[in-house]
Amino acid sequence: MDADKPMPLKIMLVDDQPPRAAMLERALEDEGHVILCRLTSAAGLSQKVMACNPDMVIVDMNAPDRDTLESMALVQRDMPRPIVMFCGQDDEDLIVAALRAGVSAYVAGETDLSRVRGVMRVATARFREYQALREELEKTREALEERKLIERAKGLLMQRRRLNEQDAYAMLRRQAMNTGQPLIQVARSVLDYADLLKAQG
Protein backbone atom coordinates (compact mmCIF):
# COMPACT_ATOMS: atom_id res chain seq x y z
CA MET A 1 0.00 0.00 0.00
CA ASP A 2 1.19 3.54 -0.78
CA ALA A 3 2.84 4.99 2.37
CA ASP A 4 1.05 8.29 1.76
CA LYS A 5 -2.32 6.62 1.31
CA PRO A 6 -4.54 6.70 4.42
CA MET A 7 -5.81 3.60 6.18
CA PRO A 8 -9.20 2.69 4.73
CA LEU A 9 -12.07 3.87 6.92
CA LYS A 10 -15.74 2.90 7.15
CA ILE A 11 -17.59 6.17 6.61
CA MET A 12 -21.12 7.43 7.16
CA LEU A 13 -21.89 10.26 4.76
CA VAL A 14 -24.59 12.85 5.51
CA ASP A 15 -25.35 15.15 2.58
CA ASP A 16 -28.62 16.87 1.68
CA GLN A 17 -27.64 17.17 -2.01
CA PRO A 18 -27.48 13.76 -3.77
CA PRO A 19 -25.37 14.88 -6.79
CA ARG A 20 -22.70 16.40 -4.51
CA ALA A 21 -22.89 13.36 -2.21
CA ALA A 22 -22.26 11.05 -5.19
CA MET A 23 -19.09 12.98 -6.11
CA LEU A 24 -17.82 12.95 -2.53
CA GLU A 25 -18.61 9.24 -2.22
CA ARG A 26 -16.65 8.50 -5.40
CA ALA A 27 -13.69 10.56 -4.17
CA LEU A 28 -13.69 8.71 -0.84
CA GLU A 29 -13.96 5.30 -2.52
CA ASP A 30 -11.07 6.24 -4.81
CA GLU A 31 -9.04 6.75 -1.62
CA GLY A 32 -9.94 3.20 -0.57
CA HIS A 33 -12.60 4.09 2.00
CA VAL A 34 -15.91 2.23 2.38
CA ILE A 35 -19.17 4.19 2.49
CA LEU A 36 -21.38 2.30 4.93
CA CYS A 37 -24.42 4.46 4.32
CA ARG A 38 -25.44 7.77 2.83
CA LEU A 39 -28.05 9.92 4.58
CA THR A 40 -29.83 13.02 3.33
CA SER A 41 -30.34 14.46 6.84
CA ALA A 42 -28.86 14.13 10.33
CA ALA A 43 -32.21 13.13 11.87
CA GLY A 44 -31.70 10.20 14.24
CA LEU A 45 -27.97 10.31 13.56
CA SER A 46 -26.98 8.88 16.94
CA GLN A 47 -29.11 5.73 16.47
CA LYS A 48 -27.83 5.28 12.91
CA VAL A 49 -24.22 5.60 14.06
CA MET A 50 -24.94 2.99 16.73
CA ALA A 51 -26.42 0.66 14.11
CA CYS A 52 -23.70 1.13 11.43
CA ASN A 53 -20.67 1.79 13.69
CA PRO A 54 -18.64 3.89 11.20
CA ASP A 55 -15.03 4.94 11.84
CA MET A 56 -15.89 8.50 10.79
CA VAL A 57 -18.94 10.63 10.01
CA ILE A 58 -18.72 13.19 7.21
CA VAL A 59 -21.44 15.85 7.09
CA ASP A 60 -21.68 18.02 3.96
CA MET A 61 -24.41 20.69 4.17
CA ASN A 62 -24.91 24.23 2.97
CA ALA A 63 -26.76 25.37 6.08
CA PRO A 64 -26.87 22.91 8.99
CA ASP A 65 -29.70 23.64 11.43
CA ARG A 66 -29.87 23.32 15.22
CA ASP A 67 -31.22 19.74 14.92
CA THR A 68 -28.15 18.71 12.90
CA LEU A 69 -25.80 20.17 15.52
CA GLU A 70 -27.76 18.50 18.34
CA SER A 71 -27.62 15.17 16.50
CA MET A 72 -23.84 15.45 16.21
CA ALA A 73 -23.54 16.33 19.91
CA LEU A 74 -25.54 13.17 20.75
CA VAL A 75 -23.14 11.06 18.66
CA GLN A 76 -20.17 12.45 20.58
CA ARG A 77 -21.92 11.80 23.87
CA ASP A 78 -23.05 8.24 23.13
CA MET A 79 -20.59 6.87 20.57
CA PRO A 80 -17.69 9.31 20.09
CA ARG A 81 -15.89 9.29 16.74
CA PRO A 82 -14.33 11.82 14.34
CA ILE A 83 -16.87 14.05 12.60
CA VAL A 84 -15.82 16.11 9.56
CA MET A 85 -18.11 18.93 8.51
CA PHE A 86 -18.08 20.61 5.11
CA CYS A 87 -20.36 23.62 5.23
CA GLY A 88 -21.34 26.27 2.70
CA GLN A 89 -21.41 28.95 5.42
CA ASP A 90 -18.29 30.68 6.72
CA ASP A 91 -20.08 31.92 9.83
CA GLU A 92 -18.12 32.29 13.07
CA ASP A 93 -21.11 31.50 15.34
CA LEU A 94 -21.88 28.36 13.33
CA ILE A 95 -18.23 27.23 13.45
CA VAL A 96 -18.16 27.67 17.25
CA ALA A 97 -21.49 25.82 17.59
CA ALA A 98 -20.23 22.97 15.39
CA LEU A 99 -17.00 22.60 17.35
CA ARG A 100 -19.00 22.61 20.61
CA ALA A 101 -21.17 19.85 19.14
CA GLY A 102 -18.02 17.75 18.74
CA VAL A 103 -17.02 18.37 15.11
CA SER A 104 -13.35 17.43 14.73
CA ALA A 105 -12.74 19.42 11.54
CA TYR A 106 -14.88 22.19 9.99
CA VAL A 107 -14.31 23.29 6.40
CA ALA A 108 -16.21 26.35 5.17
CA GLY A 109 -17.06 27.06 1.54
CA GLU A 110 -17.52 24.76 -1.44
CA THR A 111 -16.54 21.13 -0.87
CA ASP A 112 -13.05 20.77 -2.32
CA LEU A 113 -12.55 17.08 -3.12
CA SER A 114 -8.77 17.55 -3.39
CA ARG A 115 -8.61 18.56 0.30
CA VAL A 116 -10.68 15.68 1.68
CA ARG A 117 -7.70 13.45 2.53
CA GLY A 118 -5.92 16.17 4.51
CA VAL A 119 -9.09 17.22 6.32
CA MET A 120 -9.80 13.63 7.36
CA ARG A 121 -6.28 13.27 8.76
CA VAL A 122 -6.67 16.48 10.77
CA ALA A 123 -10.07 15.32 12.07
CA THR A 124 -8.68 11.95 13.18
CA ALA A 125 -5.70 13.55 14.94
CA ARG A 126 -7.89 16.13 16.71
CA PHE A 127 -10.41 13.50 17.73
CA ARG A 128 -7.70 11.28 19.29
CA GLU A 129 -6.27 14.28 21.11
CA TYR A 130 -9.70 15.25 22.43
CA GLN A 131 -10.50 11.68 23.53
CA ALA A 132 -7.18 11.40 25.40
CA LEU A 133 -7.91 14.67 27.21
CA ARG A 134 -11.46 13.57 27.99
CA GLU A 135 -10.24 10.25 29.42
CA GLU A 136 -7.62 12.04 31.51
CA LEU A 137 -10.24 14.43 32.92
CA GLU A 138 -12.55 11.51 33.69
CA LYS A 139 -9.77 9.67 35.55
CA THR A 140 -8.98 12.82 37.53
CA ARG A 141 -12.67 13.29 38.40
CA GLU A 142 -12.99 9.66 39.51
CA ALA A 143 -9.80 9.88 41.61
CA LEU A 144 -11.15 13.01 43.31
CA GLU A 145 -14.50 11.35 44.05
CA GLU A 146 -12.71 8.29 45.47
CA ARG A 147 -10.52 10.47 47.67
CA LYS A 148 -13.60 12.23 49.05
CA LEU A 149 -15.25 8.89 49.91
CA ILE A 150 -12.09 7.58 51.61
CA GLU A 151 -11.85 10.83 53.61
CA ARG A 152 -15.50 10.45 54.69
CA ALA A 153 -14.96 6.81 55.75
CA LYS A 154 -11.82 7.80 57.62
CA GLY A 155 -13.69 10.62 59.40
CA LEU A 156 -16.45 8.20 60.38
CA LEU A 157 -13.96 5.74 61.90
CA MET A 158 -12.22 8.58 63.76
CA GLN A 159 -15.57 9.65 65.22
CA ARG A 160 -16.99 6.18 66.00
CA ARG A 161 -13.80 4.45 67.16
CA ARG A 162 -12.11 7.54 68.61
CA LEU A 163 -9.08 7.03 66.36
CA ASN A 164 -6.63 9.58 65.07
CA GLU A 165 -6.42 10.14 61.30
CA GLN A 166 -3.39 7.89 60.82
CA ASP A 167 -4.93 4.96 62.72
CA ALA A 168 -8.25 5.31 60.92
CA TYR A 169 -6.47 5.19 57.55
CA ALA A 170 -4.39 2.20 58.71
CA MET A 171 -7.60 0.39 59.67
CA LEU A 172 -9.07 0.94 56.20
CA ARG A 173 -5.86 -0.27 54.53
CA ARG A 174 -5.66 -3.32 56.76
CA GLN A 175 -9.25 -4.26 55.92
CA ALA A 176 -8.48 -3.81 52.22
CA MET A 177 -5.46 -6.13 52.47
CA ASN A 178 -7.35 -8.74 54.52
CA THR A 179 -10.31 -8.88 52.13
CA GLY A 180 -8.36 -8.34 48.89
CA GLN A 181 -10.62 -5.41 48.04
CA PRO A 182 -9.55 -2.02 46.71
CA LEU A 183 -9.37 0.70 49.38
CA ILE A 184 -12.26 2.59 47.75
CA GLN A 185 -14.50 -0.50 48.03
CA VAL A 186 -13.73 -0.82 51.76
CA ALA A 187 -14.49 2.89 52.23
CA ARG A 188 -17.85 2.45 50.45
CA SER A 189 -18.68 -0.55 52.66
CA VAL A 190 -17.91 1.46 55.82
CA LEU A 191 -20.16 4.31 54.64
CA ASP A 192 -22.93 1.92 53.53
CA TYR A 193 -22.84 0.18 56.91
CA ALA A 194 -23.04 3.53 58.72
CA ASP A 195 -26.05 4.51 56.55
CA LEU A 196 -27.69 1.18 57.38
CA LEU A 197 -27.21 1.71 61.11
CA LYS A 198 -28.58 5.23 60.82
CA ALA A 199 -31.66 3.94 58.95
CA GLN A 200 -32.27 1.27 61.59
CA GLY A 201 -31.81 3.78 64.41
Side-chain angles (χ1 to χ4, degrees):
M1 193 170 72
D2 180 357
D4 193 41
K5 201 153 175 103
M7 285 289 290
L9 298 174
K10 293 177 294 178
I11 294 170
M12 175 180 283
L13 183 57
V14 184
D15 195 325
D16 52 5
Q17 292 188 21
R20 182 180 62 194
M23 286 194 297
L24 183 53
E25 182 173 339
R26 199 171 308 120
L28 290 165
E29 286 175 342
D30 287 346
E31 288 285 330
H33 303 298
V34 177
I35 307 301
L36 290 178
C37 63
R38 203 168 92 187
L39 311 173
T40 53
S41 86
L45 186 63
S46 185
Q47 291 88 345
K48 285 166 185 168
V49 166
M50 207 168 282
C52 292
N53 195 25
D55 298 316
M56 178 178 284
V57 178
I58 296 180
V59 180
D60 193 354
M61 288 187 173
N62 287 337
D65 56 16
R66 185 186 295 273
D67 288 344
T68 299
L69 296 174
E70 283 176 2
S71 295
M72 291 189 296
L74 283 175
V75 169
Q76 295 300 34
R77 188 195 70 186
D78 300 333
M79 288 191 74
R81 63 211 52 232
I83 297 179
V84 173
M85 186 165 204
F86 292 98
C87 181
Q89 295 185 20
D90 188 5
D91 177 88
E92 191 174 336
D93 290 341
L94 181 57
I95 293 169
V96 169
L99 293 173
R100 280 188 181 146
V103 169
S104 311
Y106 183 104
V107 182
E110 288 295 312
T111 307
D112 184 348
L113 297 179
S114 65
R115 293 176 60 198
V116 170
R117 182 193 290 193
V119 171
M120 287 171 69
R121 280 183 174 165
V122 167
T124 302
R126 278 190 187 158
F127 175 76
R128 284 179 183 155
E129 211 172 90
Y130 173 74
Q131 283 301 104
L133 181 62
R134 189 171 167 177
E135 283 166 20
E136 195 57 42
L137 286 171
E138 186 59 26
K139 279 182 195 168
T140 304
R141 190 191 63 76
E142 281 176 11
L144 190 61
E145 287 300 313
E146 288 183 3
R147 212 167 92 195
K148 282 180 186 172
L149 284 174
I150 291 167
E151 287 297 316
R152 275 181 57 207
K154 201 165 65 175
L156 194 66
L157 288 174
M158 287 165 68
Q159 183 188 351
R160 295 278 170 88
R161 301 287 182 92
R162 291 194 167 85
L163 299 171
N164 62 33
E165 187 175 356
Q166 193 175 348
D167 288 344
Y169 186 65
M171 181 177 276
L172 288 172
R173 280 187 62 96
R174 195 161 52 247
Q175 180 68 6
M177 287 171 67
N178 290 342
T179 58
Q181 292 180 316
L183 188 62
I184 182 60
Q185 192 58 51
V186 172
R188 282 198 183 105
S189 298
V190 168
L191 294 169
D192 288 346
Y193 184 62
D195 286 343
L196 183 65
L197 288 179
K198 194 185 288 181
Q200 288 175 347

